[in-house]
Amino acid sequence: MSVLIKNGRIVTAAEDYVADLYIENGKISAIGANLAYKADKVIDATGKLVFPGGIDPHVHLDMPFMGTYSSDDYETGTRAALFGGTTTVIDFILQTQGDSLKNALTTWQEKSIGKAVGDYSYHMAVTDFNDDVAKEVVEFIEKEGITSFKTFMAYKGALMIDDGQMVQLMKVVKKHGGLVTVHATNGDMIDSLIAKNLSEGNTAPLFHYLSQPEVTEAEASARFTDMLHYTGCTGYIVHMTCEGALNAVQRAGLRNQKIFVETCPQYLLVDASVYENNFEGAKWVMSPPIREKKDQKALWAGLQQGLVNTIGTDHCPFTWEQKQMGRNDFSKIPNGHPAIEHRLELIYSEGVRKGRISLNKFVEVTATNSAKIFGMYPQKGTLAVGSDADVVIFDPEKEHIISKDSHHMNVDYSSYEGWKVTGKTETVLLRGQIAIEDGKCHLKPGSGQFVKRGKTSYII
Ligand code: URP
Ligand code: ZN
Ligand code: ZN
C-alpha cells in the first residue's frame, strides 16, 4: 500500500516546512515539494500539521496494582492512544518479587501479543535484584531488545528495591549500555506520613497529597543522581513533578552528569487545589501527587531549558468504582489516572498555542526524545526517509471538548472533563496503514507490533 500526503506543514524536532510525504511498504520513502508519485491513497493535508506519531514512554496497561488491575488493556489502551496521535507506547513489565524477569516477560507477552492495536515496547521493572536477575538483565539488553530497567524507591513490600540493590543493578546496566529509570520518591518517609495521617483520622484524598510532600521527591531524586554518579550509569527519572527534584538534576549537571527527565501533562497543567474537593480528589490520586503552581512554572522552564526531556502520561486508569476501594482510607485508592489519549492535544493546546513551548519542542518532547533515549531512533520519533511511517495529521485550529462521553479509554470519567482544547488529531498512520480516519479506528487488535529497542543512544 502506498500513501501520498500532500501539502502538509511537516514538523519534526528540528524542521518546519510545507511538502509532500510519500509512503511505501510501511516506510517513508520520499519527502519533497510537489512529488509526482502515484499512490493507492492521497491525503490532502493543506493547512494541517504533519508530525511523527507520538511516543508515550510511560503507560501501565492491564497492570496488577494495589489489589486491582488498571482498566485499559493492550487493546483499549493502544487504540485510545492512536485516537490521540500516539502510535507507540512503552509499558512496564513488573517482576513479581521472588520470581524471574523471564516469567514476568511471558506474562506481559500474553497481555499484548494479538491484542495491541498500536506499537509498543516494554521497560522491565526490577523489583527484586539478585545474581540470577543480574544475568537476566544482560539477556534482556543483548537479546530481547528491552534496554531500560525501571526501579521504584517507594511502594515498599510490593515494588521498592533498596539502595544496595539499586547500585548493583546500575553497575550491570551500565556495563551493557542500558538505562535505569526510577520512580524517585522516599518510600519510608511517605509510609510513615501515611501512617501518621491515618492514625489521626485523616482519610480523605487530600491526605494522599499531604503524605508526599515535595521533599520526599527531591530527596529521592538527589539520592538517585548520586548513585548514578557513583556507578557511572545513565539514568532517567520518570514523572517528575516539582522544583526540588529538578534542582537535584540541575546540581548533578554541575558535576557533568546528564540525567534524563520525564514529566507528565497533569504536573504541567493542574495544581493541588484538585484535592480540596473531598472524595472527588480521588480522580487525581496518583504518585507523586499533583503539586503547586510554582512547580508547574519550574517544569515548563525545564522543558525550555532542555532539562526536562520527555512528556509521558503515566497512564494508569481505574474506574470510579475501583477508586471507591479507598473511600474510607486514601492509602487504598488505586494510584493513577487516565491520560493516554489526550497528551498531544493537551500539550499542543496549553503548551504551543499559549506560547510556552515551540512547535519543534512539542515534537521533540512528545516523540523524538523518547525514541532517542530509549533506542528507537530514527525508526520511530521523526519523519525521515527510511523511518517507519507513523504519521499524525493534526488540525491546529479545531476546537473540541474533552469528555468521558467521547473518549476511547476504558474508564468512566475523564480527569479533564469539560476542558476546551484547540488542536485535534485528525488522521493517524501506523507503519503506513490508516489507523485513525474520520473519527474511526481502522486497525484491528494484533496490528500493533513489539518494538525491539537498541541500547541507549546518548544522542541528546
Ligand atoms: O500513581 C501512579 N503513578 N500509578 C502508577 C504507578 C507509578 O507509580 O507510576
Ligand atoms: Zn511511579
Ligand atoms: Zn507509572
Side-chain angles (χ1 to χ4, degrees):
M1 154 117 171
S2 56
V3 181
L4 181 61
I5 301 174
K6 299 251 352 139
N7 261 323
R9 180 173 165 198
I10 295 180
V11 185
T12 66
E15 290 162 322
D16 186 341
Y17 54 92
V18 174
D20 300 345
L21 194 137
Y22 183 64
I23 295 162
E24 233 178 359
N25 302 324
K27 301 274 184 196
I28 297 172
S29 77
I31 304 176
N34 304 315
L35 293 182
Y37 293 107
K38 283 213 160 49
D40 299 324
K41 185 174 174 79
V42 179
I43 301 174
D44 179 11
T46 307
K48 306 284 161 61
L49 303 179
V50 178
F51 50 74
I55 299 174
D56 190 337
H58 190 153
V59 307
H60 301 279
L61 301 175
D62 198 6
M63 182 178 81
F65 192 49
M66 295 182 73
T68 185
Y69 282 78
S70 55
S71 62
D72 265 318
D73 62 12
Y74 267 81
E75 180 182 337
T76 61
T78 58
R79 188 193 294 127
L82 286 171
F83 271 105
T86 292
T87 47
T88 305
V89 301
I90 315 183
D91 188 29
F92 292 84
I93 302 176
L94 300 185
Q95 176 195 16
T96 302
Q97 292 185 335
D99 202 351
S100 65
L101 303 190
K102 184 78 191 127
N103 282 345
L105 172 61
T106 304
T107 302
W108 258 259
Q109 285 170 332
E110 283 162 6
K111 291 174 191 282
S112 54
I113 295 171
K115 283 191 92 173
V117 187
D119 284 359
Y120 61 96
S121 191
Y122 310 120
H123 304 285
M124 182 69 230
V126 176
T127 65
D128 190 2
F129 186 78
N130 55 45
D131 289 348
D132 291 336
V133 171
K135 291 189 194 107
E136 291 192 288
V137 164
V138 178
E139 266 188 44
F140 271 56
I141 297 175
E142 303 292 352
K143 298 204 181 115
E144 302 288 354
I146 298 172
T147 52
S148 49
F149 296 86
K150 171 75 178 292
T151 58
F152 292 88
M153 297 168 86
Y155 304 124
K156 201 171 190 168
L159 302 173
M160 179 170 154
I161 58 170
D162 64 29
D163 293 349
Q165 291 178 305
M166 178 76 88
V167 165
Q168 295 311 319
L169 172 66
M170 283 177 175
K171 285 183 177 168
V172 179
V173 170
K174 178 201 159 43
K175 194 165 167 202
H176 292 272
L179 184 73
V180 172
T181 81
V182 70
H183 170 124
T185 63
N186 184 319
D188 286 331
M189 271 178 88
I190 292 166
D191 287 347
S192 78
L193 287 167
I194 291 173
K196 180 171 183 298
N197 276 317
L198 290 176
S199 74
E200 291 170 359
N202 296 321
T203 60
L206 173 66
F207 292 91
H208 169 79
Y209 163 66
L210 293 174
S211 298
Q212 300 202 33
E214 180 177 6
V215 62
T216 59
E217 189 177 337
E219 184 280 330
S221 299
R223 186 156 35 103
F224 181 71
T225 66
D226 286 345
M227 290 187 281
L228 290 174
H229 188 242
Y230 171 65
T231 58
C233 189
T234 307
Y236 176 101
I237 302 179
V238 306
H239 56 38
M240 187 174 283
T241 70
C242 60
E243 191 180 15
L246 201 53
N247 286 344
V249 171
Q250 232 163 348
R251 284 195 300 276
L254 295 176
R255 60 186 178 201
N256 306 323
Q257 278 181 270
K258 172 69 190 149
I259 294 154
F260 300 113
V261 173
E262 166 198 286
T263 191
C264 310
Q266 59 271 28
Y267 302 124
L268 291 161
L269 304 178
V270 183
D271 69 64
S273 59
V274 292
Y275 296 116
E276 285 164 8
N277 202 2
N278 292 326
F279 198 69
E280 275 293 296
K283 290 178 181 168
W284 295 99
V285 165
M286 63 188 72
S287 294
I290 302 295
R291 304 250 185 237
E292 307 291 324
K293 287 204 168 20
K294 61 113 181 143
D295 299 301
Q296 295 175 5
K297 219 170 134 189
L299 293 171
W300 282 115
L303 283 164
Q304 284 157 4
Q305 294 161 354
L307 270 177
V308 178
N309 309 99
T310 66
I311 300 179
T313 56
D314 194 10
H315 175 74
C316 191
F318 297 100
T319 64
W320 192 230
E321 192 186 332
Q322 288 175 295
K323 288 280 185 181
Q324 304 306 312
M325 292 166 71
R327 170 62 71 176
N328 301 312
D329 174 350
F330 69 86
S331 73
K332 295 196 166 58
I333 300 171
N335 283 203
H337 90 315
I340 203 167
E341 189 166 347
H342 296 119
R343 181 179 64 122
L344 296 178
E345 290 168 356
L346 283 166
I347 297 302
Y348 178 79
S349 190
E350 295 291 319
V352 179
R353 299 274 314 188
K354 294 194 173 167
R356 288 159 159 156
I357 54 171
S358 70
L359 202 45
N360 297 115
K361 176 64 84 174
F362 166 78
V363 174
E364 182 186 317
V365 297
T366 58
T368 314
N369 280 354
S370 286
K372 288 181 175 177
I373 293 168
F374 294 111
M376 295 185 277
Y377 188 86
Q379 178 192 351
K380 304 281 190 193
T382 194
L383 298 178
V385 172
S387 296
D388 281 0
D390 298 342
V391 184
V392 177
I393 302 174
F394 192 84
D395 183 341
E397 302 299 331
K398 175 113 177 157
E399 292 183 353
H400 62 113
I401 290 174
I402 295 177
S403 171
K404 68 174 170 40
D405 299 326
S406 51
H407 75 201
H408 301 84
M409 299 176 284
N410 185 35
V411 57
D412 53 355
Y413 69 87
S414 171
S415 307
Y416 299 96
E417 186 68 40
W419 277 47
K420 192 168 167 186
V421 290
T422 303
K424 188 156 183 26
T425 299
E426 196 174 82
T427 304
V428 179
L429 287 86
L430 176 70
R431 285 177 277 102
Q433 308 158 87
I434 303 294
I436 304 294
E437 193 177 47
D438 299 329
K440 290 193 188 66
C441 180
H442 297 271
L443 294 182
K444 294 199 167 36
S447 306
Q449 289 181 0
F450 172 68
V451 183
K452 209 168 169 178
R453 293 186 285 115
K455 298 185 180 184
T456 304
S457 66
Y458 304 103
I459 283 174
I460 298 172

